[in-house]
Amino acid sequence: MPPRPRARTYDPAKTRAAVTAQLEHVRDAVRGLGEEQLAAPTRLGDWTVRELVAHLSMAVGAVGRHLERPAPPAPEVTATGWVAATAALGGDIDDDTRSLAASAAPAELLDRAAARFAELLPQAPGDRLLAARVGAMRLDDFLVTRCVELVVHTDDLAAALGTTLPYDRQALATATRLLADALAAKAPGGSVEVRVPPYAVVQCVEGPRHTRGTPPNVVETAPLTWIRLATGRLDWSEAVEEADVTASGERADLAPHLPLLA
């Protein structure tokens, strides 16, 4: 069996600051949106911008909701494991999102989530266990996944509004690294080197392991392109054809392993 990659660690203070910063970017983008913009379609099935914003508020609001509940007895899921486990929860998430979207104005939902996050987080230790949908997780790990949620759906929001939105550098780096690690976990091995400069490099896919010199199989792309590939927003063959991805070597085809998170 290929060796298991060493688990990546994330600076808790930087992760907390990244969640706050990216949430503020989203709040700035949503303030002042009119009804026509809120009713605009997104690339997420039949969700409109209104449902998308509600989902973002729910993703951040989950931190406060979990902190208010009793802690589970033992951790069950890591941040990397969250990526694989989330895909099975689409139906429940969709139902909850639609219900939340109908309950209040989008900007109000974000304001509530931000206020609760700011109130509860400073007193919460990083090893506090949360009863997340996918299983019990450490707070610090759960916050890493909130960076993924915020970055992925900020990109969805920008696409729906036809604009460019800002990304907190640490939030973008965290999302990029976690999704790269999830690929290495899903397709363990050392025959392909995936580079997402300046944030991540991982080795994956079974086959001859590279040890020195230039790797024979290399994939390289930009952070947002990688995030879109990993979440099914962008097709692998399309990205290669458009030169958004460079892939060299006979094993450098990641299509069988994507997406990681839908």
Side-chain angles (χ1 to χ4, degrees):
M1 294 180 62
R4 179 177 297 179
R6 185 170 56 186
R8 191 188 302 271
T9 59
Y10 297 85
D11 184 301
K14 290 182 178 179
T15 302
R16 294 180 182 216
V19 172
T20 299
Q22 192 59 41
L23 177 58
E24 284 306 302
H25 289 321
V26 172
R27 294 174 72 194
D28 288 343
V30 170
R31 290 189 188 103
L33 290 183
E35 286 301 316
E36 184 176 351
Q37 290 167 301
L38 292 172
T42 70
R43 58 193 181 191
L44 301 175
D46 61 355
W47 279 8
T48 65
V49 169
R50 184 181 299 276
E51 280 82 36
L52 172 56
V53 174
H55 179 72
L56 275 162
S57 75
M58 187 170 71
V60 176
V63 178
R65 291 193 302 275
H66 294 327
L67 284 172
E68 291 173 326
R69 297 169 182 165
E76 298 169 327
V77 182
T78 64
T80 304
W82 171 88
V83 176
T86 299
L89 301 175
D92 290 342
I93 291 173
D94 182 70
D95 291 343
D96 290 348
T97 295
R98 292 180 190 278
S99 177
L100 186 62
S103 70
E108 182 182 346
L109 292 174
L110 289 174
D111 290 346
R112 289 179 190 171
R116 204 67 178 133
F117 186 84
E119 176 187 357
L120 294 176
L121 196 65
Q123 291 78 36
D127 60 357
R128 165 65 151 87
L129 293 181
L130 308 181
R133 289 178 188 261
V134 298
M137 297 181 67
R138 295 173 65 252
L139 173 60
D140 281 347
D141 286 341
F142 192 69
L143 291 174
V144 170
T145 72
R146 300 309 87 184
C147 285
V148 176
E149 291 273 13
L150 282 163
V151 168
V152 169
H153 292 309
T154 296
D155 188 45
D156 291 332
L157 182 61
L161 297 176
T163 189
T164 301
L165 296 178
Y167 294 89
D168 174 75
R169 180 180 174 85
Q170 187 65 35
L172 183 59
T174 299
T176 301
R177 290 166 182 157
L178 182 58
L179 291 171
D181 290 345
L183 172 65
K186 181 178 182 180
S191 69
V192 179
E193 184 165 286
V194 178
R195 303 170 179 171
V196 193
Y199 300 132
V201 178
V202 296
Q203 301 218 343
C204 57
V205 183
E206 289 185 355
R209 186 172 183 82
H210 164 70
T211 56
R212 64 178 64 184
T214 302
N217 302 283
V218 177
V219 171
E220 185 166 335
T221 191
L224 275 178
T225 301
W226 165 240
I227 287 167
R228 291 166 188 160
L229 287 166
T231 59
R233 272 68 172 175
L234 180 61
D235 179 74
W236 171 262
S237 60
E238 177 185 343
V240 172
E241 183 176 343
E242 295 296 324
D244 292 327
V245 171
T246 59
S248 60
E250 62 181 15
R251 296 178 181 270
D253 180 4
L254 298 184
H257 312 295
L258 298 174
L260 305 167
L261 176 68

